[in-house]
Amino acid sequence: MPKFFKTVYKLKGGKAAHIRQRENGTYEIRYRRNGINLSVSAKVLEVAKERFIQALSSAETDTMRDKTIFGQYAVQWLEVVKKPQVKQNTYDDYNLMFRVHIFPRFGKMRMKDVKPIDCQKFINDLCDKNTFRVAEKVYCLLHAFFKFAVAEDVLQKSPMTIIKKPQHETKHGQAFSVEEERAFVELCINKNSPVARAYILMLFTGIRRSELASVQITPKWVTLTTSKTRKGVSDKIRKIPVSPMLKPFLPFMTNEIFSVSLDVLSRTFSKFVPKRHLHELRHTFITRCQECGISRELTSLWAGHKADNTMTTNVYTHFSEKYQIGEIQKLRY
């Protein structure tokens, strides 16, 4: 019976493989653990070790791919990758999309079992329900999610690579006509509630609903924090001069309007003006500024729009306060 050279090859993490030398001098490294069964050999021991490390790494990756569940991996991805990059309301929206739409479809599946045909059918089903906006959001989330999984070697290829992005035309809304605006203001005056007064402030300043809580008002200025900034970027403070349209309502702009919840703002608005969207108050302010002869650059400054990369728009933030107060006087109709 031949006598073989045999020893233990210790690896990181407490793993151990067995080495033996055959009668012909060839070294063989064998490993059996956690469902992995490897046997690598070479005439030179160091070469055998290198081959073994490569083979073990590949086998462990394959094992991880076999065991990784979509739902479990997605929860980690949302928490570790996306949450530090986005604001809380955006993260909450991502979470909602996964819980309501994506997890019921793929949550219990293994990552490796999700095929392009499954993704395409999922997107098609959402489109068939006329939920095109949801379909577009789901597409973007899955595309980013699987791309990360490939980069982390959880998958060899993303099943979203050949999936076409669903077409969704964003509805930007329409400004109120002057007659509609007048009727809306009268409705708000009659209601005389914190929500109604908040609508008047939004109508005559163009602020977003998410910016309402940060508003501070003086006789000449409405100051707030712009909400359209990414996480990790310094908050942008924006100032809007008080217009002749807003000035009569200043005594009624009490602190209670700044604590109205975003859901209440949207829900109540749909009761006030059915088939219209709260964001259309912002469109109305911007439209009236343009109609009254206020420059596009100054209107963009007050609205908190992102400046485009031109010299003209890059300098508009240097308009003097005196000039802005003078220009806002044009907003009288």
Side-chain angles (χ1 to χ4, degrees), residues 245-270:
M245 305 302 293
L246 176 61
K247 190 172 182 179
F249 296 98
L250 286 186
F252 306 99
M253 297 298 152
T254 55
N255 289 335
E256 57 187 344
I257 73 173
F258 307 128
S259 58
V260 178
S261 74
L262 303 186
D263 288 340
V264 170
L265 281 172
S266 297
R267 199 163 55 244
T268 305
F269 188 82
S270 63

Side-chain angles (χ1 to χ4, degrees), residues 70 111 114 119 142-150 155 158-160:
F70 182 101
M111 291 282 287
V114 180
C119 297
L142 288 179
H143 187 77
F145 170 69
F146 282 119
K147 183 178 179 180
F148 183 86
V150 171
L155 292 175
S158 168
M160 293 296 293

Side-chain angles (χ1 to χ4, degrees), residues 61 63-83 91 95 98 102-103 106-114 141-159:
T61 299
T63 300
M64 180 179 67
R65 289 172 181 158
D66 287 339
K67 294 182 178 180
T68 302
I69 303 300
F70 182 101
Q72 296 172 353
Y73 189 74
V75 168
Q76 292 183 2
W77 179 75
L78 285 167
E79 184 71 21
V80 178
V81 179
K82 302 307 293 183
K83 191 173 185 178
Y91 174 74
N95 251 325
F98 270 90
I102 300 175
F103 284 156
F106 300 131
K108 295 181 180 180
M109 293 179 65
R110 295 185 300 178
M111 291 282 287
K112 60 175 289 188
D113 292 337
V114 180
L141 283 171
L142 288 179
H143 187 77
F145 170 69
F146 282 119
K147 183 178 179 180
F148 183 86
V150 171
E152 205 182 20
D153 217 14
V154 174
L155 292 175
Q156 290 183 324
K157 186 177 180 180
S158 168

